[in-house]
Amino acid sequence: MRRLMWIGGAVAAGLVPVEAPAQKLVAKQIVLHEFADCLVKNAPGKSHRLLLTELGSTEEQKVAVEISMAGSACLRGRPGLTMQVGPIRGAIAEAHLRRAPALLARGSTLASIAPVRPAKADGRAFVIAYAGCLTTSAPQQSVALLQTPLASPDERAAFLKYGDTLPACMPLDQRYTIDITNLRNHIAAILYRNIAGQRGVAGESMTEAAE
């Protein structure tokens, strides 16, 4: 899992990156993606329904619980799997996009929107806001990020290529430890939802729409 420390400053909206010691991709992250692949394979419609909910909403939590229960068979042999919505949703989004590369490519056709600095927030609310700003401001770079191997040097390089968008989307006068893996999860979820909105897809998996 890769983390960078960012210090928000009022001067020129600058953020000073300080790299924290890198950690190897833990086994649970691999297990999480295997679980997501299993869910998407066996319940593409239900997992797609989760990806259409608003991030951080009560509906998202409700559907995530339903999917976890429906996908109990996918949990077998995968002890200690996180049940946090953010990682699960991100892994499911990437699983859908891997099954239909054309959909991920369509993310590059989304219009870029000038960064709007989000309000200060804590916890997952901050991650959703920050990832949302990065994704809508730089959809092409978001696609490039999701095409890199997890926790790889290429992933870190792709993240840093957001360039000026990174400080532009960060609230000022705040200190954050950015977890690239967590941000990637939310970028994947937001990009999938944005692609769905562009296509007007509802109900069925976009994987089927791409075939």
Side-chain angles (χ1 to χ4, degrees):
M1 189 176 297
R2 298 300 184 94
R3 286 187 170 88
L4 300 174
M5 292 182 65
W6 296 89
I7 304 172
V11 179
L15 297 175
V16 181
V18 180
E19 187 174 3
Q23 298 178 4
K24 293 182 179 180
L25 177 64
V26 293
K28 64 181 181 181
Q29 188 70 13
I30 298 174
V31 171
L32 177 61
H33 278 258
E34 291 175 347
F35 173 68
D37 284 335
C38 180
L39 276 179
V40 171
K41 179 180 179 180
N42 293 292
K46 289 182 178 180
S47 56
H48 173 66
R49 181 184 165 209
L50 170 64
L51 298 179
L52 294 184
T53 63
E54 182 178 353
L55 280 81
S57 66
T58 302
E59 181 68 11
E60 177 194 51
Q61 185 68 43
K62 176 183 176 182
V63 177
V65 171
E66 293 175 358
I67 289 176
S68 297
M69 294 176 64
S72 58
C74 295
L75 288 170
R76 294 172 186 167
R78 299 184 174 97
L81 184 67
T82 178
M83 286 294 104
Q84 294 181 341
V85 176
I88 289 177
R89 179 170 181 159
I92 288 174
E94 289 211 48
H96 270 285
L97 293 170
R98 280 196 302 273
R99 291 170 67 86
L103 289 175
L104 181 58
R106 285 174 186 154
S108 295
T109 68
L110 295 172
S112 299
I113 300 174
V116 177
R117 196 182 304 279
K120 297 176 184 178
D122 296 319
R124 189 180 177 220
F126 161 72
V127 177
I128 291 172
Y130 190 49
C133 180
L134 292 176
T135 306
T136 56
S137 300
Q140 294 80 14
Q141 191 53 44
S142 298
V143 170
L145 174 67
L146 297 183
Q147 290 173 328
T148 64
L150 290 164
S152 65
D154 287 344
E155 179 192 60
R156 180 183 180 277
F159 180 78
L160 292 177
K161 283 183 180 179
Y162 277 106
D164 291 341
T165 307
L166 291 170
C169 287
M170 179 70 72
L172 296 176
D173 303 320
Q174 290 292 325
R175 185 185 182 97
Y176 295 103
T177 299
I178 300 299
D179 182 336
I180 295 180
T181 299
N182 195 19
L183 273 172
R184 176 175 176 151
N185 285 332
H186 288 80
I187 286 169
I190 292 166
L191 185 66
Y192 185 97
R193 195 166 185 258
N194 289 350
I195 294 171
Q198 181 192 53
R199 291 176 53 82
V201 177
E204 297 300 325
S205 169
M206 289 196 295
T207 302
E208 298 175 1
E211 294 175 349

